Amino acid sequence: MIKTDEKTVANYMVHSTTTIHCDAAVSEAVRLLLKIGLPGCAVVDDTRKVIGFVSEQDCLRYMLESRYHRSETKQVKDVMSSPVLSVEPGMDIVELAQMMSGPKPKIYPVIERGKLLGEIRRNDILRALFESR
């Protein structure tokens, strides 16, 4: 059980998440990311299991490639990062902050026992550290 006074992912994560199906077109992922204003989102399969993560960077690479190489339309599963970099709800905020201070993703899905619980973003971590000073 997670104590509420601990600085853990569970205490700062966002419970509502946006996902996209692995068979969606990359253009659909671009539209979604622009609409929600986040740098990426979890990719799910038919059973709603998180199988990857698609980022703005993944989409940008695809768009540049398709523009110059006239490649055919790809699906999200063709450009996503997998296996997904995720965190568990009991992870310490400072530990995650240290991970995120480098070139790691700006957002992580929070997964427990294979179930997507939410996501935690770099600004959530910053808020947690700011509140604890």
Side-chain angles (χ1 to χ4, degrees), residues 8 12 18-19 21 23 25 37-38 43-44 47 49 61 65 69-70 76 81-82 91 104 108-109 111 121 123 128 132:
T8 63
Y12 290 92
T18 301
T19 61
H21 193 274
D23 291 334
L38 291 177
V43 179
V44 296
T47 65
K49 179 182 175 196
R61 270 192 232 118
E65 178 184 301
H69 301 290
R70 303 278 186 228
V76 170
S81 298
S82 183
M91 184 177 194
K104 295 286 184 186
Y108 282 85
I111 299 174
R121 305 167 191 159
N123 64 353
S132 66

Side-chain angles (χ1 to χ4, degrees), residues 14-77:
V14 175
H15 292 278
S16 60
T17 60
T18 301
T19 61
I20 191 161
H21 193 274
C22 60
D23 291 334
V26 175
S27 60
E28 187 179 332
V30 171
R31 274 193 288 278
L32 177 65
L33 295 179
L34 291 172
K35 179 181 176 183
I36 63 176
L38 291 177
C41 69
V43 179
V44 296
D45 64 12
D46 290 334
T47 65
R48 304 271 308 145
K49 179 182 175 196
V50 177
I51 60 167
F53 194 84
V54 66
S55 69
E56 292 170 327
Q57 187 176 29
D58 298 326
C59 294
L60 187 60
R61 270 192 232 118
Y62 164 74
M63 291 179 76
L64 285 171
E65 178 184 301
S66 67
R67 180 177 178 168
Y68 293 110
H69 301 290
R70 303 278 186 228
S71 64
E72 56 191 69
T73 303
K74 290 187 178 181
Q75 295 173 309
V76 170
K77 65 184 170 191

Side-chain angles (χ1 to χ4, degrees), residues 77-109:
K77 65 184 170 191
D78 299 320
V79 300
M80 70 182 189
S81 298
S82 183
V84 65
L85 293 174
S86 64
V87 297
E88 293 185 355
M91 184 177 194
D92 182 72
I93 286 290
V94 174
E95 183 182 344
L96 182 54
Q98 289 168 339
M99 283 175 47
M100 292 178 96
S101 66
K104 295 286 184 186
K106 298 173 184 159
I107 183 171
Y108 282 85

